Amino acid sequence: MESEHPTLQDASLVPDEFDDIHHHHALAMSHYLDAYEVFLLGQDVYPEQEKNLEERYALKDSRVVVDLEQKKEQMKAISADLQRILKAPAPIEQLKESNGYLKHDRAKFEEYIRVAEQRKEGLVNTIKHEKTELAQTLAAIDQLKAEEARLTSIVKVQNLSPEEVLRMNSEHEVLTRDLESLRYKIAEASRNALKLEVSLTKKVTDAEEAVDAYTNLLSSLGLFPPLPEPLQDVKLTLALNTAASNPPEMLMGSGLREVIKPSLAIIAELKRAERADVESERIKVDNELDQLTTEWENMEEEANEVLNKVTALNDEAEELREVAQQEALVSNAEATHLERELAQARTSAMANGVGVKSRLQAVQIAYREQVDRVERLRDETVRAIIKNSSDIVTFKEEVSTQLKDLRDFAEEN
């Protein structure tokens, strides 16, 4: 008993999860013992013992059930990923499309870099020109200062009379006033030059922004080279050269008035012609669609009329069949009657001799006519039914063909 071996069939020794057959036998033995105790007390049903056994096996399978649910969720996620991968286009197609976009962006970026390099070159030239002017101005100022010092030293060493000194002082005062006036004018000119420089800088910035906007507009409209015929050799790009001394030379390009404006007018005319063609094509397609809609409505009306005719023909065929059946019944009754009369005639002929033979022949002829009439009515009924069925099938095939053609045309357009 201390060995705790599975064959002892002790239910308390069974782990939560098990696969050994002895553990199953132990739980079964425990269930038998508990149920037998209840049976000895006079009960024939054991719901509590069965419930305990079910709960014990549910405990055994709980981890497996949880693991199974997790596996099911993982399978659903993997299936969804698989469907998404199968429905998605091939990675090489996406890479080719991305490669095309990147090449297009690279071409636009290289064109933008070229324009920016031109702007940079123009700005560098402008800075060099300004530095040169600044150096010349500083040199002129130093020269004037040296000249002033030389003149001052000359005045100091000269022996002048009071009248000359007075005259020179008055001249100096006049020159001083003139110098102040010149300084004021220079300051005013400097302020005006600064204002003009600020205004020029703003206008240059506006012009550069306009050129950039024009370049971006060309990029968005796809008007970078090569252009379509007859403008394959025309370049519509512009660049601003702020270092140019001649204003007409500041705008670098193929020529705004001579080439770019006429080319843009030609492109606008081509686009208007394309738009007019597209609009006319759209109107044509709308008209064709309206015609097809009208034809479809007419065909639908004709189909309804033919359906009504087919229904009427079916009703007529049904009536003919009923009439034929009634006539066949009447003919069968008459044939039966004639057969009975023929039998009687044969009996009478056999009894009366040759005198009744003519009556027998007349009855036989009438019988054959009646049989032929029944066969003829049957054949006419069958032919009418076959004809109506054939008409219905032909009509359905024709309507299906017309509707299929209409659907294919609508999908293609």
Side-chain angles (χ1 to χ4, degrees):
M1 294 298 293
E2 293 177 356
S3 67
E4 297 183 356
H5 197 270
T7 56
L8 294 175
Q9 296 187 1
D10 187 359
S12 62
L13 301 178
V14 178
D16 293 341
E17 298 181 4
F18 58 89
D19 290 324
D20 195 343
I21 188 65
H22 297 299
H23 294 155
H24 290 281
H25 291 168
L27 293 178
M29 178 59 71
S30 177
H31 175 68
Y32 293 155
L33 293 175
D34 294 340
Y36 191 67
E37 290 178 359
V38 176
F39 173 74
L40 292 177
L41 294 177
Q43 297 184 8
D44 293 334
V45 292
Y46 323 103
E48 184 176 355
Q49 288 73 21
E50 293 177 354
K51 180 180 179 182
N52 292 334
L53 185 62
E54 291 175 355
E55 291 178 351
R56 187 63 182 81
Y57 273 96
L59 177 63
K60 170 185 175 295
D61 298 335
S62 61
R63 189 181 66 83
V64 177
V65 172
V66 172
D67 186 61
L68 178 62
E69 294 296 329
Q70 292 178 354
K71 292 292 190 297
K72 287 182 179 179
E73 294 295 331
Q74 292 177 0
M75 187 182 71
K76 289 181 180 178
I78 293 172
S79 299
D81 291 338
L82 178 61
Q83 294 298 324
R84 179 179 58 79
I85 292 172
L86 291 176
K87 292 180 180 179
I92 189 171
E93 297 297 332
Q94 294 180 352
L95 291 175
K96 286 181 179 179
E97 184 178 2
S98 178
N99 188 22
Y101 292 151
L102 291 175
K103 286 182 178 178
H104 183 65
D105 294 340
R106 176 185 176 184
K108 293 194 296 184
F109 188 66
E110 288 178 350
E111 182 64 21
Y112 181 76
I113 289 175
R114 187 184 65 80
V115 174
E117 289 293 337
Q118 291 179 355
R119 288 181 54 193
K120 177 182 177 182
E121 184 179 356
L123 292 174
V124 169
N125 293 331
T126 303
I127 292 171
K128 289 181 179 178
H129 181 69
E130 294 294 334
K131 286 183 177 180
T132 303
E133 291 184 353
L134 179 61
Q136 292 176 356
T137 304
L138 292 175
I141 291 173
D142 293 337
Q143 185 178 1
L144 291 175
K145 287 182 178 179
E147 183 68 19
E148 182 182 5
R150 186 181 66 83
L151 294 174
T152 303
S153 61
I154 292 172
V155 170
K156 287 181 179 179
V157 298
Q158 290 179 352
N159 294 320
L160 300 175
S161 62
E163 291 80 7
E164 291 178 348
V165 171
L166 182 61
R167 181 175 57 81
M168 290 180 64
N169 288 332
S170 62
E171 291 178 355
H172 182 268
E173 291 177 358
V174 172
L175 291 174
T176 302
R177 288 194 296 270
D178 293 338
L179 181 61
E180 291 295 332
S181 177
L182 290 174
R183 286 178 179 176
Y184 176 77
K185 290 180 180 180
I186 291 172
E188 187 69 22
S190 299
R191 287 194 296 270
N192 292 332
L194 182 60
K195 292 180 180 179
L196 290 175
E197 185 177 358
V198 172
S199 177
L200 178 62
T201 304
K202 184 176 182 303
K203 289 182 179 180
V204 168
T205 303
D206 294 339
E208 290 177 349
E209 291 178 355
V211 171
D212 291 339
Y214 173 76
T215 305
N216 295 329
L217 185 60
L218 289 180
S219 175
S220 61
L221 294 177
L223 296 180
F224 278 120
L227 297 176
E229 295 183 357
L231 304 175
Q232 63 272 14
D233 297 329
V234 176
K235 292 184 178 180
L236 300 178
T237 56
L238 291 175
L240 193 64
N241 183 15
T242 56
S245 59
N246 191 7
E249 296 177 356
M250 293 180 65
L251 197 60
M252 299 172 60
S254 301
L256 184 61
R257 292 186 178 89
E258 296 80 6
V259 178
I260 294 179
K261 282 188 176 181
S263 300
L264 290 176
I266 293 173
I267 293 173
E269 187 64 28
L270 292 175
K271 295 299 181 181
R272 281 194 293 269
E274 290 179 1
R275 182 175 180 180
D277 294 338
V278 172
E279 187 68 21
S280 61
E281 186 67 22
R282 185 187 66 80
I283 294 172
K284 181 180 178 182
V285 171
D286 290 340
N287 293 330
E288 291 179 357
L289 183 60
D290 293 337
Q291 291 176 2
L292 288 173
T293 304
T294 305
E295 291 178 1
W296 180 77
E297 291 175 354
N298 294 332
M299 289 177 62
E300 188 176 10
E301 292 177 358
E302 292 177 359
N304 292 329
E305 292 177 359
V306 174
L307 286 175
N308 294 331
K309 290 180 181 179
V310 169
T311 304
L313 289 174
N314 286 330
D315 296 339
E316 186 178 353
E318 189 68 26
E319 292 176 359
L320 289 173
R321 186 171 59 186
E322 292 177 357
V323 171
Q325 290 177 355
Q326 292 176 1
E327 291 183 355
L329 292 174
V330 173
S331 299
N332 290 331
E334 290 180 358
T336 304
H337 179 66
L338 290 174
E339 286 178 355
R340 286 196 300 269
E341 288 184 354
L342 181 59
Q344 292 176 3
R346 286 177 179 176
T347 304
S348 299
M350 294 174 67
N352 297 326
V354 184
V356 188
K357 187 175 182 179
S358 60
R359 183 184 174 191
L360 177 61
Q361 291 177 353
V363 173
Q364 287 177 349
I365 292 170
Y367 174 74
R368 283 195 298 272
E369 290 177 354
Q370 190 68 26
V371 171
D372 294 337
R373 183 183 178 189
V374 171
E375 292 296 332
R376 186 172 63 256
L377 289 174
R378 185 181 293 112
D379 293 339
E380 291 177 356
T381 303
V382 171
R383 283 196 298 271
I385 292 172
I386 293 174
K387 182 178 181 301
N388 292 333
S389 300
S390 178
D391 292 339
I392 292 172
V393 171
T394 303
F395 168 72
K396 287 184 178 180
E397 291 178 353
E398 183 66 23
V399 171
S400 299
T401 303
Q402 295 293 334
L403 291 177
K404 183 177 180 300
D405 294 339
L406 179 61
R407 184 184 61 187
D408 294 339
F409 181 80
E411 289 177 355
E412 291 176 357
N413 293 273

